[in-house]
């Protein structure tokens, strides 16, 4: 058992490792059961599914240990001295890939997605972490949207890099709507919120929208100061 307390890294480890450990234990027990069945009687598709589940769970465990937990250990700004991480990730490319994936998923519900973004938005977040975070949020919104709805996504660089996304119901005007003063966060996005905080950003979520802010890269900040 992990002692979580108020330690963000411990909370993330508990939130992520506990279900993954249960999944791995379950798939391996099921595979043990299949091992005693003659090959002719075993369901090859079922065995392949168990292998895929096991493989993905192991991959996610490695992601937690190699990316998320080291990120948590460095603190919200990403460096021990509180400065931004060196280097940059282009949030535009990350968002484009996340939207492409979400569109493939949204086809079943006839949900359309439109994203508006500038040419480049550099953030001081590891590329893998950024892709996981943005991808999870966009995919969640695409699956949460009702049939024939439309999703509007806007990425802006100033005053801070931010992604605003919301579901527009069929027939609704596209004018911005007021955000609830105290939005409720879906339980399955608690980890996304924690990861954003550890990156020095923030996620605000309600039932039909999210706003993700991330720290600007030092390179982007320097570029804006240049005359």
């Amino acid at each position: 058992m992990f002692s979580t307390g108020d330690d963000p890294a411990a909370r993330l480890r508990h939130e992520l490792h506990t279900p993954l450990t249960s999944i791995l234990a379950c798939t391996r027990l099921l595979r043990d059961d299949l091992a005693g069945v003659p090959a002719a009687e075993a369901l090859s598709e079922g065995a392949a599914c168990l292998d895929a589940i096991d493989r993905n769970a192991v991959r996610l465990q490695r992601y937690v240990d190699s990316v998320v937990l080291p990120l948590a250990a460095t603190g919200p700004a990403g460096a021990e001295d509180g400065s931004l991480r060196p280097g940059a990730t282009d949030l535009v490319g990350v968002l484009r890939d996340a939207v492409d994936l979400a569109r493939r998923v949204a086809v079943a519900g006839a949900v359309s997605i439109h994203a508006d973004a500038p040419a480049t938005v550099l953030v001081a977040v590891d590329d893998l972490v950024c892709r996981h975070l943005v991808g999870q949020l966009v995919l969640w919104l695409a699956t949460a949207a009702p049939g024939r709805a439309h999703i509007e996504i806007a990425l802006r660089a100033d005053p801070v890099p931010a992604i605003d996304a919301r579901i527009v119901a069929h027939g609704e005007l596209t004018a911005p709507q007021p955000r609830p003063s105290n939005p409720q966060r879906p339980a399955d996005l608690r980890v996304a919120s924690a990861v954003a905080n550890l990156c020095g950003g923030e996620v605000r979520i309600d039932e039909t929208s999210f706003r993700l802010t991330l720290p600007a890269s030092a390179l982007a900040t320097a570029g804006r100061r240049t005359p």
Side-chain angles (χ1 to χ4, degrees):
M1 296 296 292
F2 300 108
S3 176
T4 57
D6 293 326
D7 181 8
R11 287 201 304 274
L12 282 178
R13 184 178 179 87
H14 175 77
E15 291 280 355
L16 294 173
H17 266 282
T18 299
L20 290 172
T21 300
S22 300
I23 290 169
L24 285 169
C26 184
T27 56
R28 290 168 185 180
L29 285 172
L30 291 172
R31 284 201 300 188
D32 289 344
D33 290 341
L34 287 177
V37 178
E41 299 179 19
L43 296 176
S44 58
E45 290 186 2
C49 286
L50 290 176
D51 287 341
I53 293 170
D54 188 275
R55 184 170 58 252
N56 287 326
V58 170
R59 180 179 60 82
L60 285 173
Q61 278 191 331
R62 290 172 179 168
Y63 173 80
V64 171
D65 291 334
S66 63
V67 177
V68 177
L69 294 181
L71 175 64
T74 61
E80 293 182 0
D81 62 356
S83 62
L84 294 175
R85 292 181 187 82
T89 294
D90 185 3
L91 193 54
V92 175
V94 171
L95 178 61
R96 180 182 60 245
D97 292 344
V99 169
D100 286 345
L101 175 59
R103 280 175 176 154
R104 292 196 290 271
V105 173
V107 166
V111 175
S112 60
I113 304 175
H114 173 74
D116 178 36
T120 303
V121 177
L122 300 179
V123 293
V125 180
D126 176 83
D127 181 79
L128 181 59
V129 174
C130 197
R131 289 182 180 277
H132 176 81
L133 180 58
V134 174
Q136 185 182 17
L137 290 168
V138 173
L139 192 59
W140 161 73
L141 202 60
T143 55
R148 302 185 65 193
H150 176 68
I151 295 176
E152 293 183 344
I153 302 175
L155 169 59
R156 297 291 179 264
D158 294 311
V160 295
I163 298 175
D164 284 286
R166 73 184 190 98
I167 298 171
V168 181
H170 181 62
E172 180 186 342
L173 295 176
T174 59
Q177 302 295 313
R179 183 179 301 276
S181 59
N182 185 26
Q184 298 298 312
R185 296 180 178 179
D188 60 342
L189 294 177
R190 286 179 299 180
V191 172
S193 180
V195 170
N197 290 337
L198 290 167
C199 291
E202 182 183 21
V203 177
R204 297 180 183 176
I205 304 170
D206 58 38
E207 293 181 353
T208 61
S209 68
F210 73 81
R211 176 179 174 83
L212 169 65
T213 59
L214 293 171
S217 165
L219 297 176
T221 305
R224 285 197 293 268
R225 286 199 301 262
T226 302

